[in-house]
Amino acid sequence: MSRKKIAAGNWKMNTTIDEGIQLASEIANSERNKDVEVILGVPFTHLYPLKKKIPSRSKIKLAAQTCHHLNSGAFTGEISPTNLVNMGIQYVILGHSERRMYNHESDELLKQKVNAALDAGLKVIFCCGEPLEVRKKAQHLSYVKAQLEASLFQVNDQNIKNIILAYEPIWAIGTGETASNEQAQEMHAAIRSFMSKRYNKRISNGISILYGGSVKSSNSKDLFSCQDVDGGLIGGASLSTKEFVAIINSFS
Ligand code: PGA
């Protein structure tokens, strides 16, 4: 079955608004494989200006990098899922390891965020992945399974179609160290089988599972050629038009 191919950029806390507009415009105007869905995960401050500036014919989608787990209330500084939908934003990244670590986002909180985002009508890029010590003990598969069980498996059969999964081994994020094709394929196949057991084969075969962690144009072709890898969540390399477009064009 052919699944959607996706290249999602995660700009994290980088670029000024002007730089972001320039980067997104260059990507929008690039010669790129139009069968690949391109999503840009940008800082909150960039969402509205980019929404206005990127031509809709470019089909580039925007993602927030987090959102609150409630839709309104006395939560100074927070952004709700409804705020995002109201701006015309379609995606939100949830469960990134940096937020789990630096913002102490627990599995339980992420469960609430996933539910709130889906209820508001957002699509969710849900990140999972193990730290190095877990991989060293060869417990990576059960670790990721537990993350999915805790924050995702409450989602019903209908809403799960609005989830994109991203496997990001923590030891590969921003380190220059990438999972080997075998390591990525092993985990992606395992995730697909967890999804099949919780939901069904049709759903698990249809869900896109991205790999993230030091994806570059020099390794993306190999990673994307793995049977169960449907694209990438790309941090550092998504800040360069040349690199990111080369990654988009590396799907076979
Ligand atoms: P990286 O980041 O590509 O810079 O390793 C990936 C991510 O954190 O999503």
Side-chain angles (χ1 to χ4, degrees):
M1 146 162 213
S2 78
R3 282 181 291 273
K4 210 186 262 181
K5 304 284 178 205
I6 298 169
N10 179 8
W11 293 4
K12 309 193 180 184
M13 200 174 67
N14 293 301
T15 74
T16 62
I17 293 179
D18 283 349
E19 287 164 352
I21 290 171
Q22 161 118 21
L23 182 54
S25 307
E26 285 170 6
I27 296 164
N29 294 323
S30 65
E31 287 286 323
R32 62 181 203 283
N33 181 346
K34 293 288 181 343
D35 295 335
V36 178
E37 171 140 305
V38 176
I39 305 170
L40 302 178
V42 305
F44 281 132
T45 45
H46 296 35
L47 287 168
Y48 196 66
L50 288 186
K51 178 85 199 150
K52 292 277 156 209
K53 291 274 180 191
I54 309 176
S56 55
R57 68 179 147 70
S58 73
K59 300 236 169 60
I60 290 180
K61 308 281 186 345
L62 294 172
Q65 299 172 8
T66 183
C67 65
H68 199 258
H69 65 283
L70 295 172
N71 261 317
S72 62
F75 301 102
T76 304
E78 295 292 343
I79 305 279
S80 74
T82 317
N83 291 150
L84 297 174
V85 172
N86 194 236
M87 250 195 297
I89 302 306
Q90 286 173 282
Y91 287 89
V92 63
I93 300 170
L94 292 176
H96 193 282
S97 59
E98 286 154 14
R99 291 209 59 92
R100 290 178 190 259
M101 186 159 47
Y102 303 131
N103 298 77
H104 314 289
E105 293 194 356
S106 65
D107 287 337
E108 175 55 33
L109 178 67
L110 288 168
K111 176 181 182 174
Q112 293 175 38
K113 288 193 181 210
V114 166
N115 291 345
L118 292 173
D119 283 352
L122 290 167
K123 292 179 199 280
V124 173
I125 301 176
F126 182 80
C127 306
C128 54
E130 80 287 353
L132 186 58
E133 46 300 357
V134 169
R135 177 156 288 264
K136 279 190 178 151
K137 284 191 240 149
Q139 290 167 351
H140 46 289
L141 300 181
S142 56
Y143 185 95
V144 166
K145 183 169 182 235
Q147 286 182 320
L148 299 177
E149 282 169 348
S151 309
L152 199 70
F153 280 7
Q154 79 285 355
V155 175
N156 66 25
D157 285 28
Q158 196 50 41
N159 284 342
I160 200 71
K161 293 173 189 144
N162 291 322
I163 300 276
I164 295 168
L165 290 168
Y167 168 57
E168 299 204 306
I170 297 172
W171 45 271
I173 296 178
T175 58
E177 192 173 337
T178 319
S180 66
N181 287 1
E182 293 70 29
Q183 287 171 322
Q185 173 55 28
E186 178 200 36
M187 180 61 84
H188 283 231
I191 291 174
R192 212 174 289 293
S193 115
F194 303 149
M195 296 301 287
S196 175
K197 289 203 182 92
R198 162 61 184 89
Y199 297 95
N200 57 50
K201 259 216 137 34
R202 192 174 43 80
I203 287 176
S204 74
N205 280 334
I207 199 157
S208 295
I209 309 177
L210 314 183
Y211 169 80
S214 299
V215 176
K216 307 182 264 298
S217 62
S218 56
N219 57 28
S220 54
K221 197 176 175 49
D222 281 352
L223 284 162
F224 297 168
S225 68
C226 297
Q227 198 187 337
D228 287 291
V229 177
D230 305 307
L233 179 56
I234 300 125
S238 72
L239 294 167
S240 148
T241 307
K242 196 162 168 262
E243 266 294 293
F244 192 57
V245 172
I247 291 169
I248 296 170
N249 288 335
S250 66
F251 285 90
S252 38

